[in-house]
Amino acid sequence: MLNVRSANKLIINLKNEYGAVLRLSSYPIARMVNEYSIKYVDSDYTLNGADFDGFMIVLVNSAVPVTVTMPLVGESIAIGKCVNIGQETDNVVTIAPDVGVTINPVDALALRRDGSFATLVYEGNERWRFIGELP
Protein backbone atom coordinates (compact mmCIF):
# COMPACT_ATOMS: atom_id res chain seq x y z
CA MET A 1 0.00 0.00 0.00
CA LEU A 2 1.28 3.44 -0.92
CA ASN A 3 -0.38 6.55 0.45
CA VAL A 4 0.95 9.95 -0.63
CA ARG A 5 -0.24 13.21 0.90
CA SER A 6 0.96 16.71 0.31
CA ALA A 7 0.30 20.14 1.71
CA ASN A 8 3.53 21.86 0.76
CA LYS A 9 5.29 18.86 2.27
CA LEU A 10 5.68 15.41 0.80
CA ILE A 11 4.65 12.56 3.09
CA ILE A 12 4.78 8.96 1.88
CA ASN A 13 3.36 6.09 3.92
CA LEU A 14 4.56 2.66 2.85
CA LYS A 15 2.80 -0.39 4.27
CA ASN A 16 4.34 -3.81 3.83
CA GLU A 17 2.58 -7.19 3.69
CA TYR A 18 2.86 -7.57 7.49
CA GLY A 19 1.13 -4.26 8.21
CA ALA A 20 4.24 -2.35 9.25
CA VAL A 21 4.15 1.27 8.11
CA LEU A 22 7.22 3.25 7.12
CA ARG A 23 6.56 6.98 7.03
CA LEU A 24 8.82 9.20 4.95
CA SER A 25 8.51 12.95 4.92
CA SER A 26 10.57 15.61 3.25
CA TYR A 27 11.15 19.32 2.91
CA PRO A 28 8.55 21.37 1.10
CA ILE A 29 8.09 20.06 -2.41
CA ALA A 30 9.37 23.27 -4.03
CA ARG A 31 12.71 22.78 -2.28
CA MET A 32 12.91 19.16 -3.44
CA VAL A 33 13.13 20.28 -7.05
CA ASN A 34 15.69 23.00 -6.31
CA GLU A 35 13.47 25.95 -6.94
CA TYR A 36 15.75 28.95 -6.54
CA SER A 37 14.77 32.55 -5.90
CA ILE A 38 16.65 35.26 -7.76
CA LYS A 39 17.29 38.66 -6.26
CA TYR A 40 18.55 41.18 -8.82
CA VAL A 41 20.85 43.93 -7.55
CA ASP A 42 22.35 46.83 -9.49
CA SER A 43 24.27 48.67 -6.76
CA ASP A 44 26.25 47.92 -3.60
CA TYR A 45 24.36 45.37 -1.50
CA THR A 46 24.61 43.94 2.01
CA LEU A 47 23.49 40.33 2.31
CA ASN A 48 20.81 39.54 4.92
CA GLY A 49 19.19 36.54 6.62
CA ALA A 50 16.71 35.86 3.81
CA ASP A 51 19.65 35.40 1.42
CA PHE A 52 21.14 32.46 3.34
CA ASP A 53 18.58 29.69 2.77
CA GLY A 54 20.70 27.99 0.11
CA PHE A 55 18.10 28.61 -2.57
CA MET A 56 18.81 32.31 -3.16
CA ILE A 57 20.81 33.64 -6.07
CA VAL A 58 21.91 37.26 -5.73
CA LEU A 59 22.42 38.24 -9.35
CA VAL A 60 24.42 41.42 -9.96
CA ASN A 61 23.66 43.37 -13.12
CA SER A 62 25.21 46.82 -12.96
CA ALA A 63 26.82 49.37 -15.26
CA VAL A 64 29.40 50.08 -12.53
CA PRO A 65 31.50 47.88 -10.19
CA VAL A 66 29.50 46.57 -7.22
CA THR A 67 30.46 45.48 -3.71
CA VAL A 68 28.43 42.75 -2.00
CA THR A 69 29.04 42.88 1.76
CA MET A 70 28.92 39.84 4.03
CA PRO A 71 27.64 41.05 7.43
CA LEU A 72 28.10 39.53 10.87
CA VAL A 73 25.45 36.84 11.29
CA GLY A 74 25.98 35.76 14.91
CA GLU A 75 23.93 32.70 15.68
CA SER A 76 21.11 33.65 13.33
CA ILE A 77 22.03 31.01 10.75
CA ALA A 78 23.23 27.41 10.96
CA ILE A 79 26.58 26.08 9.86
CA GLY A 80 26.34 24.94 6.24
CA LYS A 81 23.86 27.57 5.11
CA CYS A 82 24.89 29.33 1.93
CA VAL A 83 24.23 32.12 -0.53
CA ASN A 84 24.89 32.09 -4.27
CA ILE A 85 26.19 35.16 -6.10
CA GLY A 86 26.24 35.62 -9.86
CA GLN A 87 27.55 38.30 -12.18
CA GLU A 88 25.76 39.38 -15.36
CA THR A 89 28.09 42.13 -16.61
CA ASP A 90 31.80 42.69 -17.23
CA ASN A 91 32.00 45.05 -14.25
CA VAL A 92 33.80 43.71 -11.19
CA VAL A 93 31.71 42.27 -8.35
CA THR A 94 33.70 42.31 -5.11
CA ILE A 95 32.69 40.30 -2.03
CA ALA A 96 33.63 42.32 1.07
CA PRO A 97 33.61 40.92 4.61
CA ASP A 98 32.22 43.23 7.28
CA VAL A 99 34.41 43.90 10.32
CA GLY A 100 34.74 40.62 12.25
CA VAL A 101 33.87 38.41 9.25
CA THR A 102 36.41 36.14 7.51
CA ILE A 103 35.98 34.86 3.98
CA ASN A 104 38.44 32.29 2.63
CA PRO A 105 40.33 32.33 0.37
CA VAL A 106 41.09 35.95 1.17
CA ASP A 107 42.94 36.57 -2.10
CA ALA A 108 39.98 35.74 -4.35
CA LEU A 109 37.06 37.90 -3.27
CA ALA A 110 35.88 39.02 -6.69
CA LEU A 111 33.89 37.46 -9.49
CA ARG A 112 36.06 37.64 -12.57
CA ARG A 113 33.80 38.07 -15.58
CA ASP A 114 30.31 38.14 -17.03
CA GLY A 115 28.66 34.82 -16.17
CA SER A 116 30.82 34.10 -13.11
CA PHE A 117 29.10 32.39 -10.21
CA ALA A 118 30.17 31.62 -6.65
CA THR A 119 28.72 30.22 -3.43
CA LEU A 120 29.56 31.32 0.11
CA VAL A 121 29.11 28.57 2.71
CA TYR A 122 28.93 29.37 6.43
CA GLU A 123 31.49 27.49 8.57
CA GLY A 124 30.57 29.04 11.92
CA ASN A 125 32.28 31.69 14.05
CA GLU A 126 31.76 34.33 11.32
CA ARG A 127 33.84 32.30 8.81
CA TRP A 128 32.69 31.72 5.22
CA ARG A 129 34.11 29.56 2.43
CA PHE A 130 34.06 31.16 -1.06
CA ILE A 131 33.59 28.46 -3.74
CA GLY A 132 33.18 28.88 -7.47
CA GLU A 133 34.70 30.58 -10.46
CA LEU A 134 37.28 32.79 -8.78
CA PRO A 135 40.11 34.96 -10.15
Side-chain angles (χ1 to χ4, degrees), residues 56-73:
M56 176 63 72
I57 298 172
V58 176
L59 198 54
V60 180
N61 188 353
S62 175
V64 297
V66 168
T67 298
V68 176
T69 302
M70 176 61 70
L72 290 166
V73 295

Side-chain angles (χ1 to χ4, degrees), residues 99-122:
V99 175
V101 174
T102 301
I103 302 174
N104 287 310
V106 296
D107 62 342
L109 297 181
L111 299 179
R112 66 183 188 94
R113 64 180 171 86
D114 183 9
S116 291
F117 195 86
T119 300
L120 288 123
V121 180
Y122 189 57

Side-chain angles (χ1 to χ4, degrees), residues 3-125:
N3 178 18
V4 179
R5 294 184 297 158
S6 104
N8 256 354
K9 186 174 186 177
L10 180 64
I11 299 172
I12 300 173
N13 293 315
L14 299 171
K15 190 173 190 180
N16 70 15
E17 61 196 60
Y18 304 107
V21 175
L22 172 63
R23 183 175 207 181
L24 306 170
S25 63
S26 71
Y27 292 103
I29 292 172
R31 296 297 190 221
M32 288 178 56
V33 294
N34 295 331
E35 182 179 281
Y36 288 85
S37 297
I38 298 176
K39 181 182 291 184
Y40 294 94
V41 298
D42 60 6
S43 60
D44 291 348
Y45 178 73
T46 298
L47 297 166
N48 63 68
D51 297 330
F52 304 124
D53 71 354
F55 292 94
M56 176 63 72
I57 298 172
V58 176
L59 198 54
V60 180
N61 188 353
S62 175
V64 297
V66 168
T67 298
V68 176
T69 302
M70 176 61 70
L72 290 166
V73 295
E75 296 180 17
S76 64
I77 65 169
I79 291 173
K81 290 292 188 175
C82 62
V83 60
N84 306 289
I85 301 173
Q87 177 178 347
E88 281 202 320
T89 65
D90 286 328
N91 292 303
V92 175
V93 176
T94 302
I95 311 303
D98 208 348
V99 175
V101 174
T102 301
I103 302 174
N104 287 310
V106 296
D107 62 342
L109 297 181
L111 299 179
R112 66 183 188 94
R113 64 180 171 86
D114 183 9
S116 291
F117 195 86
T119 300
L120 288 123
V121 180
Y122 189 57
E123 297 178 335
N125 297 321

